[in-house]
Amino acid sequence: SSEVLEAIENVIQGVLQSLAQKKAPVLTVANRTDWRNIEFKDSVGLQMIPGCTTKQIRSDCPQSARRFALMLKILSMIYKMVQSNTYATKRDIYYSDTLLFGSQSVVDQIINDISCMLKIPRRSLHVLSTNKGFVAGNLSYTEEDGTKVNCTCSATAVTVPSNVQGIKNLTSHAKFILIVEKDATFQRLLDDDFFNKVSPCIMITGRGIPDLNTRLLVRKLWDSFKIPIFTLMDADPHGVEIMCVYKYGSVSMSFEAHHLTVPSVKWLGLLPSDLERLNICKDALIPFTKQDENKLASIQKRPYIACQPLWKKELEIMAASKLKAEIQVLTSVSADYLSRVYLPNKLQFGGWL
């Protein structure tokens, strides 16, 4: 915490020095969303290059003065929380003054900018995400406040903890981890008691694009157990994008890649080649939109696809057919086909990439 306080004090000192010299104060932040500032490294995923380009948030410029003020406001809130050892979610910060901040996304972006500017992980700033993900299966752990959590005996999923950093005493006999893209599929597998039937496993869903806590938990489980991690996604560009976030990270959070990515993640399904192999009826598939085409074209150009020839082939099948499928399409074969046949066969015979 002293490191965080010192980093914030240095920023404020810089502001005061500028004012003393009758200069307009400026905050300098990295261009987090610029691909030119990102490099791909096989063992880490997408990470920010050391000498990346920056942008200035000036206090004397009409376009950025408001953002400058909001950054100082949030810095002061973080400073107080670290000092008093209290925590707040990004949502709490937004609701502390909705008129001032204007929208939740403004708060989210500023917090990421501050984390990047101070070179301090967001959880060390005492800012938590609002929980979104779920975990179930063969796993138990102790939360920071001493609460014991057992995901094994629960018929319903457990919410991903808000302070993943603080959980300890993780125990599991799981043979693998299954990341499920959607909540509906996750709940279906839960109802089918999937994590006990095949072999003990841990199931996680970020319910779409994963939040920071879900990604941190996947990474923590990987660090703790070093067991295979498989993804179950829709066979569409959006599903592939989500899988890449777990495996290689995202451009906007590349400055934290070392804590978030798990490059050993495998693509289990739903593969575009599976649709042909399983003779899925064409009527059950969904035609691409223009947005899907653009998204797929952008993914195909990304640096990590070049080192994944088998993924490349699957994306080419998708691009050629211009058709996509949701995981639920497997119910057209039979109601419990996913948990009874598809997943057990894939896991047993190595049907992943």
Side-chain angles (χ1 to χ4, degrees):
S1 61
S2 58
E3 190 189 324
V4 181
L5 296 175
E6 195 183 325
I8 296 173
E9 284 160 9
N10 288 341
V11 171
I12 302 306
Q13 208 171 348
V15 169
L16 293 174
Q17 276 169 351
S18 297
L19 290 170
Q21 293 162 4
K22 304 236 179 329
K23 288 182 190 163
V26 167
L27 296 173
T28 305
V29 297
N31 272 329
R32 288 187 296 114
T33 52
D34 191 336
W35 272 94
R36 286 169 301 184
N37 287 332
I38 312 296
E39 64 179 358
F40 170 64
K41 199 174 170 195
D42 218 0
S43 59
V44 180
L46 300 175
Q47 61 177 8
M48 200 168 255
I49 58 173
C52 69
T53 60
T54 55
K55 57 183 176 188
Q56 290 195 327
I57 297 168
R58 303 188 61 85
S59 59
D60 61 346
C61 166
Q63 282 84 22
S64 62
R66 177 179 155 74
R67 195 170 187 86
F68 179 91
L70 293 180
M71 281 187 81
L72 287 193
K73 166 75 175 167
I74 291 178
L75 274 168
S76 84
M77 292 171 86
I78 290 169
Y79 193 85
K80 282 177 193 151
M81 289 192 297
V82 175
Q83 258 187 332
S84 59
N85 196 25
T86 53
Y87 287 82
T89 64
K90 293 186 295 183
R91 208 166 170 71
D92 295 333
I93 291 174
Y94 168 59
Y95 279 109
S96 70
D97 199 332
T98 52
L99 280 176
L100 176 70
F101 293 120
S103 77
Q104 181 70 60
S105 64
V106 167
V107 172
D108 297 355
Q109 283 169 11
I110 287 176
I111 287 164
N112 285 341
D113 275 343
I114 287 172
S115 173
C116 187
M117 176 176 75
L118 301 178
K119 293 187 172 51
I120 288 169
R122 196 176 73 195
R123 55 202 170 279
S124 303
L125 303 176
H126 287 226
V127 178
L128 308 170
S129 296
T130 315
N131 293 355
K132 192 175 105 162
F134 288 134
V135 59
N138 196 295
L139 174 70
S140 58
Y141 56 84
T142 309
E143 290 202 348
E144 198 179 27
D145 63 2
T147 309
K148 287 184 166 56
V149 179
N150 188 349
C151 308
T152 313
C153 57
S154 173
T156 55
V158 171
T159 309
V160 166
S162 54
N163 188 358
V164 176
Q165 186 86 355
I167 66 173
K168 48 189 182 291
N169 306 331
L170 287 91
T171 53
S172 175
H173 302 294
K175 297 283 182 279
F176 62 91
I177 295 163
L178 182 67
I179 299 171
V180 183
E181 177 186 348
K182 283 181 174 159
D183 193 23
T185 309
F186 181 86
Q187 297 297 341
R188 178 69 211 236
L189 291 172
L190 209 56
D191 294 343
D192 290 348
D193 198 24
F194 173 76
F195 61 80
N196 285 323
K197 277 181 183 163
V198 180
S199 65
C201 74
I202 299 166
M203 296 196 314
I204 292 182
T205 180
R207 297 161 76 194
I209 296 168
D211 62 341
L212 199 67
N213 288 336
T214 306
R215 290 175 62 191
L216 282 168
L217 183 62
V218 170
R219 176 60 196 245
K220 183 140 193 158
L221 293 172
W222 163 247
D223 287 337
S224 304
F225 304 123
K226 291 283 190 286
I227 51 178
I229 301 182
F230 301 112
T231 57
L232 180 62
M233 305 280 152
D234 287 342
D236 66 9
H238 191 64
V240 174
E241 172 104 282
I242 289 170
M243 172 172 59
C244 291
V245 168
Y246 283 107
K247 187 176 173 77
Y248 295 121
S250 59
V251 174
S252 63
M253 292 299 287
S254 57
F255 64 95
E256 268 212 64
H258 291 265
H259 310 288
L260 291 171
T261 58
V262 185
S264 63
V265 161
K266 304 281 181 227
W267 188 3
L268 187 71
L270 189 64
L271 302 177
S273 59
D274 289 340
L275 303 174
E276 223 166 273
R277 190 174 55 80
L278 298 170
N279 286 325
I280 300 290
C281 169
K282 280 267 189 336
D283 296 345
L285 305 178
I286 307 159
F288 261 25
T289 62
K290 188 75 192 133
Q291 203 178 1
D292 290 325
E293 284 182 42
N294 294 342
K295 167 83 76 187
L296 183 57
S298 128
I299 292 170
Q300 286 176 303
K301 289 190 196 111
R302 291 191 192 160
Y304 43 70
I305 296 300
C307 67
Q308 290 281 4
L310 296 174
W311 283 31
K312 203 173 166 199
K313 207 179 268 181
E314 293 292 332
L315 298 184
E316 281 162 6
I317 294 171
M318 201 190 287
S321 73
K322 292 194 175 171
L323 293 168
K324 57 184 182 176
E326 297 184 330
I327 300 161
Q328 289 89 321
V329 80
L330 296 176
T331 56
S332 68
V333 183
S334 75
D336 58 352
Y337 188 79
L338 175 67
S339 57
R340 187 176 53 84
V341 182
Y342 181 82
L343 288 175
N345 280 353
K346 283 244 165 185
L347 291 160
Q348 191 180 344
F349 301 113
W352 59 79
L353 305 178

